[in-house]
DNA sequence: TTTAATTTGTTCGTATGTATG
DNA sequence: TCATACATACGAACAAATTAA
């Protein structure tokens, strides 16, 4: 009952490279430790490379698992392990019954977000760190935006501000959405992909944290009014091209917004940062 | 020859929760879309949670796959998919033949690093962005360090500087290692986990990029001499507690170090940042 | 030093639920 | 409705690596 001739002919995994016993005698020949490369990793590499290089774009579809099993000359399980890794890195998405195969999502920052989330949950990063960092990012972004903003940027910011105004005292959801858009536009105007990315991530995390701390509904009208005024001031500074003022306004707005959430000692620490920077 | 009674008694995958047909009639009842939760994800969740909460620490070992297969009541394939995800997120490490099972690595930032690497490879992030961002981070870190540094920090920085001095004109490897240590100590003195983390990652990426651009050996003695002087200046500013000077020195040091690698137009853009900040 | 036991890496076959035409 | 192709999941077996007796 030998279900089949179990030959495993295509066993070509990279671990065939055994560490060479360094019996050459001379001391000046040194070898580095070998980490066996597993089959699924080489599949991940190939697909990841294709996505990074743009040969696979957002919206494309991977071949089905059975098809890849043939193309990569591995078993289905191995293909699936690679799929799981790619999926957890936010590069693809697969769902059962999809005749197209897994969908390519392109490059994203979801893995980055998950990492920060874990560090926050694990108490490696405190709320004060997040607020502090966001003040740095936001003030830098606003300074840059004040210098680099185009007319289109100003128009878009104006629209976002008007949306906030329209939603004040009425629709917190819409207000919050416009708020997020405003900050995104500033980050975009700063013309630095990293500032944009990291600030986005930290902004999201902070919003999640405060959402779990205080009920959203408590964010009353007066809070929104105040926030609106802050944004208007910032936009005015950006429009005038006064980088230092834009940076200062952004920092102070954030501080007023979040200082109530911080422990007193953290609050003084953040104030200390403000003084140390003394940017404005 | 039905090898065995194929019963699949324990088919308990989470997708059993079908989306409820919203036939309640009233419009004010709204349901959110359901994403089927797969078995391996629930395993990942449990283990991830244990690591984040500290019940599983760095150096601990997971049960063997066959043991987990019993504990989670799933097949080995499912356990393995979960392991691959955890491993790709840098939370565990498994190697063949290890009788202890997979090793727990604790929280790390390797996923963060991989994400940034991909974005750089995919041209979503330019070298100018990296240098620019690093100047922001480094100047902030140095300003904070000037304010917050303890005596221990100063001693450690002093030691790192001396190591750099000792290695100048002799050992590039040792010089570079001491250099990295110096920057790490500054970030640590800044007392903000996010600055530390992001600066670390970006620092690494930049080093990799320039290493692939110019041969390391070209980094001659004069370059090391210059770098040494910069670090000495920065340390002096940190010691004196002059935050603005520390920030300015750090920015200028970075600019002198990397401006040669940037395209002329990027160079002027970064200079523009320096002017816009006008911190010192 | 060799051997035996255990573990991970990998493969194959099968069954089941799901989505599309 | 049905057939088809897909992903999810299970289980058994083999291969290779590691450790300890």
């Amino acid at each position: 009952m030998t279900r089949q001739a179990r030959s495993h002919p295509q066993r070509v995994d990279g671990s065939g490279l055994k560490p060479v016993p360094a019996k050459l005698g001379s001391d000046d020949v040194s070898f580095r430790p070998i980490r066996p490369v597993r089959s699924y990793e080489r599949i991940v590499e190939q697909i990841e490379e294709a996505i990074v290089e743009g040969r696979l774009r957002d919206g494309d579809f991977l071949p089905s698992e059975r098809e890849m099993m043939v193309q990569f000359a591995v078993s289905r399980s191995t293909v699936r392990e690679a799929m799981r890794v790619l999926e957890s890195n936010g590069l693809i998405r697969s769902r059962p019954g999809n005749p197209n195969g897994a969908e390519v999502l392109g490059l994203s920052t979801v893995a980055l977000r998950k990492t920060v989330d874990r560090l926050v949950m694990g108490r490696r990063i405190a709320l004060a760190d997040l607020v502090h960092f966001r003040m740095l990012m936001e003030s830098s972004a606003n300074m840059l935006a004040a210098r680099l903003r185009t007319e289109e940027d100003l128009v878009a910011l104006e629209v976002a501000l008007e949306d906030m105004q329209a939603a004040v005292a009425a629709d917190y959801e819409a207000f919050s959405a416009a708020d997020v858009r405003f900050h995104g536009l500033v980050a975009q105007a700063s013309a630095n992909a990293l500032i944009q990315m990291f600030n986005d991530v930290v902004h999201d995390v902070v919003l999640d944290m405060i959402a779990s701390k205080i009920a959203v509904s408590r964010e009353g009208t007066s809070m929104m009014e105040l926030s609106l005024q802050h944004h208007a001031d910032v936009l005015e500074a950006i429009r005038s091209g006064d980088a230092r003022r834009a940076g200062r306004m952004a920092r102070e707005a954030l501080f007023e917004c979040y200082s109530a959430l911080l422990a007193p000692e953290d609050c003084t620490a953040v104030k200390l940062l403000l003084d140390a920077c003394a940017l404005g």
Side-chain angles (χ1 to χ4, degrees), chain A:
Chain A
M1 180 172 165
T2 58
R3 310 212 318 272
Q4 181 184 341
R6 314 216 27 123
S7 51
H8 296 284
Q10 65 278 57
R11 184 166 188 80
V12 285
D13 66 326
S15 64
L17 315 170
K18 304 187 181 186
V20 178
K23 55 170 67 172
L24 295 175
S26 54
D27 274 345
D28 55 353
V29 206
S30 70
F31 298 105
R32 287 170 304 173
I34 291 295
R35 190 185 55 98
V37 179
R38 291 170 283 203
S39 303
Y40 84 89
E41 290 183 285
R42 312 185 76 177
I43 298 178
V44 169
E45 275 171 25
Q46 282 196 46
I47 297 179
E48 194 174 317
E49 191 183 317
I51 293 176
V52 166
E53 289 179 356
R55 298 200 308 274
L56 281 172
R57 296 207 192 97
D58 188 355
D60 287 351
F61 287 92
L62 257 37
S64 75
E65 291 180 358
R66 288 176 179 80
E67 171 64 26
M68 285 192 277
M69 170 175 128
V70 176
Q71 287 192 31
F72 289 112
V74 295
S75 77
R76 184 99 187 282
S77 313
T78 304
V79 171
R80 286 178 61 70
E81 289 179 16
M83 295 300 105
R84 294 293 83 91
V85 170
L86 290 168
E87 192 159 26
S88 94
N89 287 30
L91 295 171
I92 67 169
R93 172 176 47 198
S94 74
R95 23 177 253 275
N98 187 344
N100 295 317
E103 186 182 359
V104 175
L105 298 180
L107 298 179
S108 79
T109 58
V110 294
L112 205 153
R113 169 69 198 272
K114 274 200 298 186
T115 300
V116 175
D117 267 343
R118 273 195 294 260
L119 290 167
V120 169
M121 291 297 160
R123 309 270 179 189
R124 303 288 201 290
I125 295 176
L127 178 57
D129 287 336
L130 288 162
V131 171
H132 184 155
F133 183 83
R134 202 154 119 60
M135 286 170 67
L136 278 177
M137 283 291 94
E138 204 69 62
S139 72
S140 299
N142 278 278
M143 287 175 116
L144 289 166
R147 280 300 182 112
L148 303 174
R149 87 284 187 285
T150 63
E151 282 305 315
E152 289 76 30
D153 290 329
L154 287 176
V155 171
L157 284 168
E158 192 89 43
V159 171
L161 191 65
E162 282 165 9
D163 289 352
M164 288 174 74
Q165 179 118 44
V168 123
D171 184 356
Y172 175 76
E173 292 290 327
F175 185 86
S176 183
D179 178 42
V180 168
R181 202 162 79 247
F182 188 95
H183 288 281
L185 287 166
V186 170
Q188 192 181 324
S190 77
N192 185 301
L194 282 165
I195 291 178
Q196 220 169 320
M197 210 174 74
F198 287 140
N199 201 24
D200 254 28
V201 169
V202 174
H203 187 106
D204 276 6
V205 173
V206 169
L207 284 185
D208 275 12
M209 283 188 82
I210 67 169
S212 68
K213 276 203 168 186
I214 52 171
V216 169
S217 54
R218 217 226 63 191
E219 177 120 3
T221 303
S222 63
M223 204 67 176
M224 288 199 248
E225 296 273 12
L226 184 63
S227 175
L228 185 66
Q229 185 55 49
H230 280 144
H231 285 75
D233 292 344
V234 166
L235 177 51
E236 188 46 44
I238 290 177
R239 187 195 309 281
S240 73
D242 187 339
R244 298 173 68 160
R245 188 155 65 91
R248 193 185 62 229
M249 307 299 313
R251 275 198 314 282
E252 288 178 356
L254 277 173
F255 186 71
E256 279 201 38
C257 184
Y258 293 130
S259 60
L261 300 174
L262 297 178
E265 65 270 23
D266 292 333
C267 212
T268 61
V270 172
K271 268 218 188 75
L272 191 144
L273 159 72
L274 272 171
D275 299 342
C277 282
L279 297 167

